[in-house]
Amino acid sequence: MKSVKHCRHVKEDGIACGSPPLSGESYCHFHLRYKGCRLRTWRARRTLGVKDMRLPPPDDFHAILFSLNKVAQALASGRLGPHEAGKILRQLDRAGAKLRGEILSRAESAQEATLEASEQDRTWI
Ligand SMILES: [Zn+2]
């Protein structure tokens, strides 16, 4: 007697699918597509790297904040590993520190120019 094959998928309630499998496969049409979709999604998540993030250059604080949000979302969703996220976050931290330094030096030079101008005004009076 020839045994009848059934789909190997076991549903969450513990009951087997019971549908006939596709010829040469162990799963029915629906569960073969379901498992393929899960595998493709997992592969897409694992292959996401720094280059795929498409982050803007960290030229200003808005770009840095945007990148921080994208990295946090990718890390939380599991699309980016903690090692790669750490690399990007360190680069963003360095870019932010450099920007802070540039802004502070510009503010100091502007303040010095203002003080010199006010001293010159006093000498003229
Ligand atoms: Zn099935």
Side-chain angles (χ1 to χ4, degrees), residues 45 69-81 85:
R45 283 181 180 171
N69 282 330
K70 288 208 50 157
V71 170
Q73 287 173 356
L75 186 62
S77 67
R79 288 181 293 130
L80 192 65

Side-chain angles (χ1 to χ4, degrees), residues 62-105:
H62 296 289
I64 292 173
L65 278 177
F66 177 81
S67 299
L68 277 173
N69 282 330
K70 288 208 50 157
V71 170
Q73 287 173 356
L75 186 62
S77 67
R79 288 181 293 130
L80 192 65
H83 184 70
E84 283 187 310
K87 279 185 198 173
I88 299 171
L89 293 176
R90 277 190 291 277
Q91 289 175 352
L92 290 173
D93 186 41
R94 268 185 247 134
K98 185 180 169 190
L99 265 177
R100 252 189 325 270
E102 288 173 5
I103 289 172
L104 283 175
S105 68

Side-chain angles (χ1 to χ4, degrees), residues 107-123:
E108 285 174 3
S109 62
Q111 193 175 20
E112 287 172 7
T114 307
L115 284 173
E116 286 175 12
S118 66
E119 284 177 11
Q120 283 178 353
D121 287 346
R122 283 183 197 152
T123 56

Side-chain angles (χ1 to χ4, degrees), residues 7 9 17 28 31:
C7 175
H9 180 78
C17 171
C28 68
H31 287 118

Side-chain angles (χ1 to χ4, degrees), residues 32-69:
L32 201 59
R33 282 187 57 193
Y34 172 72
K35 289 192 181 299
C37 181
R38 286 185 61 193
L39 187 63
R40 281 190 298 275
T41 305
W42 180 80
R43 280 188 187 144
R45 283 181 180 171
R46 298 308 305 164
T47 57
L48 183 65
V50 177
K51 294 173 193 166
D52 304 316
M53 294 288 296
R54 296 183 185 171
L55 300 174
D59 296 335
D60 59 11
F61 286 116
H62 296 289
I64 292 173
L65 278 177
F66 177 81
S67 299
L68 277 173
N69 282 330

